Amino acid sequence: MSAVTLHLHAEAAPIGTRGIISPTTAHRLIQDGYNVYVERSNVRYFKDSGHAAVGCTLVPADSWPDAPLDHIIIGMKALPEGDFPLKHVHAHAAHCYRNQAGWDRVLMRFHQGGGLLLDLEFITDENGERFITFGRETRPVGAALASRETEVRTDYSEILEHDVLTNRVSLSSPVAPFVTFESLKAPGRKLTVISGISNGSHSPDNQLPIYTNSTNSDVRPTVRIPTPSGTVTLTIAMIPYLPSLLPREASESAANGLYPAISLLGGWQNHGVWLEVEKMYRDKIAALTGNQTTKA
């Protein structure tokens, strides 16, 4: 049986500063019998020379669409926007299973091209624990942005009694909004700062519907939210790719955390860790195409 090729695609900053396969884990994968192709990148924390030194094959950036069909395309986050069908097996965090904006277009590209999405965000071990939690290493940064962390899990009205809310919630099902424009009218509101790591502003399940666009750590770190006259101000810092502020820690955490799962990609059809996310994809496609058939 010929060796399986993993093709690490280059990504633009800020996501592209992180690397999901480090030279260390690439060396282990090569020892496991894989071919590892790495697209050249001038923003990735792990330098091209480091991958080349352990035996990876360097290829041009954005060459993955023309890679042989048996190559597995792997990356950190969603692919660049486009409309051409996706024909490979892809392993990355696509952010399209919680009805984020454009989720249906993303999945239909896989369906039309005969490809497959194996979403890294949802792979779990035998105990049901995620292999990796994106952003774990930046919790101190998120807390520093807000100065203080407050967790409220049941009675959301209590949030307004705190000065600061740090939001790190990742939902698998909808919940009532934590803060709304209506709740901002509450007399005596103390809440003046909201910070967090989130890319859910375009999701219908956004827990904080008072904002619809993420802030940016470089260009626009904070945004002032309109509040009723006579109430205290409210500032929000919701940076979706906060782990990119610590590219070394984020890269090493991702590479080491995901190695056990990535090492099984060569025979993913025989491993539950990947079969579970394949089923998620198949179920979502079935629901999507079924709805389209009904509409037609």
Side-chain angles (χ1 to χ4, degrees), residues 197-232:
I197 307 169
S198 174
N199 55 12
S201 61
H202 297 291
S203 168
D205 299 331
N206 181 10
Q207 312 101 302
L208 296 167
I210 57 174
Y211 84 108
T212 56
N213 290 300
S214 301
T215 55
N216 183 290
S217 59
D218 296 322
V219 180
R220 189 183 60 168
T222 63
V223 169
R224 182 67 60 83
I225 301 298
T227 53
S229 176
T231 64
V232 294

Side-chain angles (χ1 to χ4, degrees), residues 187-202:
R189 171 176 58 86
K190 294 182 179 180
L191 184 66
T192 57
V193 176
I194 299 175
S195 78
I197 307 169
S198 174
N199 55 12
S201 61
H202 297 291

Side-chain angles (χ1 to χ4, degrees), residues 13-190:
I15 303 171
T17 59
R18 291 180 277 166
I20 206 164
I21 297 179
S22 67
T24 299
T25 56
H27 180 61
R28 294 172 68 183
L29 289 167
I30 292 170
Q31 289 183 319
D32 292 338
Y34 287 91
N35 295 321
V36 180
Y37 282 28
V38 176
E39 292 189 2
R40 295 181 182 274
S41 171
N42 58 8
V43 299
R44 188 187 298 122
Y45 170 74
F46 299 121
K47 303 303 182 185
D48 294 344
S49 57
H51 283 104
V54 299
C56 297
T57 300
L58 298 182
V59 294
D62 303 320
S63 59
W64 61 266
D66 298 319
L69 288 180
D70 60 353
H71 286 201
I72 297 176
I73 313 302
I74 189 167
M76 179 69 73
K77 295 282 186 176
L79 299 170
E81 291 188 9
D83 55 8
F84 60 90
L86 300 173
K87 55 190 178 180
H88 295 88
V89 173
H90 287 259
H92 61 261
H95 298 305
C96 61
Y97 285 165
R98 297 191 177 109
N99 299 330
Q100 291 96 329
W103 69 272
D104 50 347
R105 295 192 300 274
V106 172
L107 291 182
M108 283 305 297
R109 291 178 66 192
F110 284 98
H111 180 64
Q112 292 164 355
L116 173 65
L117 170 63
L118 300 175
D119 200 304
L120 298 178
E121 189 175 5
F122 295 94
I123 56 173
T124 58
D125 60 21
E126 62 274 8
N127 298 317
E129 298 292 330
R130 291 174 62 183
F131 270 88
I132 184 171
T133 301
F134 296 104
R136 176 182 300 165
E137 60 286 327
T138 54
R139 287 175 183 173
V141 178
L145 283 172
S147 302
R148 175 185 166 194
E149 179 178 339
T150 302
E151 293 186 2
V152 181
R153 299 179 181 176
T154 54
D155 185 358
Y156 300 150
S157 64
E158 293 182 10
I159 290 176
L160 303 176
E161 301 173 9
H162 296 274
D163 299 313
V164 174
L165 168 66
T166 297
N167 180 42
R168 295 199 312 262
V169 175
S170 178
L171 295 176
S172 58
S173 59
V175 299
F178 296 164
V179 180
T180 66
F181 283 112
E182 185 63 28
S183 69
L184 293 179
K185 299 177 183 178
R189 171 176 58 86
K190 294 182 179 180

